[in-house]
Amino acid sequence: MRLDFSYKQTWLHQINPSFKFILIVILFIHILFIHNINVMINYMAAAFILYVAFTGHPWKRLLIISIPFVLLFVTSSASMIFFGQGENTWLKWGLVHITEESFLRGLHLGFRGIIFATLGVVFSLTTRPVYLFYSFMQQLKLKPKYAYSFMAAFRLIPIMIEELQILSYALKVRGVQHQKGVAGFFKKLQSYSIPLLSQSIRRAHRIAVAMEAKHFSATTKRTFYYQIGFSKFDILFVMYFAVVIPASYLLAIHFPYFPVTDVRFQ
């Protein structure tokens, strides 16, 4: 059964992939230096606007993808909330020590993780891998032999999954049964890994020979099937965060959610 991953093209899809990648990395670094939980909440709201309104995917799919965001928030914030440090104690029971400061630091850490995840998903949902590597070659001067190798690896993933299914069906048809326990696990691992590894080695060798015959390792200038350039949407992407980031700080000053400007333990 083929899965339907259709989506609508938005302006985020039109942004130069390497430019989008570099800008998101810069945003990741900037987020690491934000210690005001009010700014972080506003920042997170801006990232969610991009995720919900401009990725072009159906809301049901976006809802399913966002389920791990909740798990990320809970797991990243719980340890800081339950075992943090602070002066205003809310609950102390054995090793569990919840304070006002640890609660705010835990929320701050959880919001930071959600922003990382949201921006990363926005990038992955609005960027085609082929265009990304073509942009790396054209704008960032990545050597074609590396870029095309990565693209070939992406194309091989569905083939490897299909081979794994065929191998599983073949073992069932032959009546191969593995014993339970650790020994059975390693026996099953051997039954699957050796055929798949041998097939992967032969396929990798054929690809390497083909790339060598096409002179992918040469230093001569190559032509590209896709010409990736810049457009007005790159400026729009920069302007979005040029407005969002100062607005996040201004709203945090005039309309704070919590009366704390720095969650770090003093």
Side-chain angles (χ1 to χ4, degrees), residues 152-173:
F154 275 111
R155 297 298 186 186
L156 290 177
I157 293 176
I159 299 176
M160 294 180 63
I161 295 176
E162 184 179 0
E163 287 186 351
L164 179 62
Q165 293 176 344
I166 294 174
L167 182 59
S168 176
Y169 296 151
L171 292 176
K172 288 182 180 180
V173 170

Side-chain angles (χ1 to χ4, degrees), residues 196-221:
L196 292 176
L197 182 61
S198 60
Q199 288 284 355
S200 299
I201 292 175
R202 287 195 292 268
R203 188 176 295 107
H205 178 71
R206 291 196 297 267
I207 293 174
V209 172
M211 293 182 69
E212 186 70 24
K214 296 288 186 179
H215 296 282
F216 279 91
S217 59
T219 57
T220 56
K221 187 177 181 180

Side-chain angles (χ1 to χ4, degrees), residues 129-138 142 147 150-151 154:
V130 174
Y131 291 167
L132 176 63
F133 288 112
Y134 269 94
S135 180
F136 280 171
M137 287 187 287
Q138 296 175 32
L142 179 66
F150 279 112
M151 284 192 283
F154 275 111

Side-chain angles (χ1 to χ4, degrees), residues 15 23 48 66 89 108 165 177 245:
I15 301 173
L23 185 57
F48 261 107
S66 62
T89 300
H108 182 271
Q165 293 176 344
Q177 295 182 354
I245 294 175

Side-chain angles (χ1 to χ4, degrees), residues 1-6 61:
M1 181 180 66
R2 291 190 61 182
L3 298 178
D4 182 20
F5 288 104
S6 59
R61 186 183 305 159

Side-chain angles (χ1 to χ4, degrees), residues 48-109:
F48 261 107
I49 291 175
L50 288 179
Y51 175 70
V52 174
F54 299 112
T55 54
H57 290 260
W59 67 269
K60 290 183 179 180
R61 186 183 305 159
L62 294 178
L63 185 62
I64 294 174
I65 296 175
S66 62
I67 292 176
F69 292 2
V70 180
L71 299 177
L72 177 66
F73 176 82
V74 173
T75 55
S76 60
S77 61
S79 58
M80 182 63 70
I81 292 175
F82 292 151
F83 309 105
Q85 295 177 332
E87 298 178 354
N88 300 320
T89 300
W90 286 357
L91 174 65
K92 186 173 179 61
W93 182 61
L95 296 176
V96 177
H97 185 204
I98 302 177
T99 64
E100 181 182 0
E101 294 80 3
S102 67
F103 176 76
L104 293 176
R105 281 195 299 273
L107 291 181
H108 182 271
L109 185 62

Side-chain angles (χ1 to χ4, degrees), residues 27 116 120 136 238 259:
L27 292 175
F116 283 156
F136 280 171
V238 174

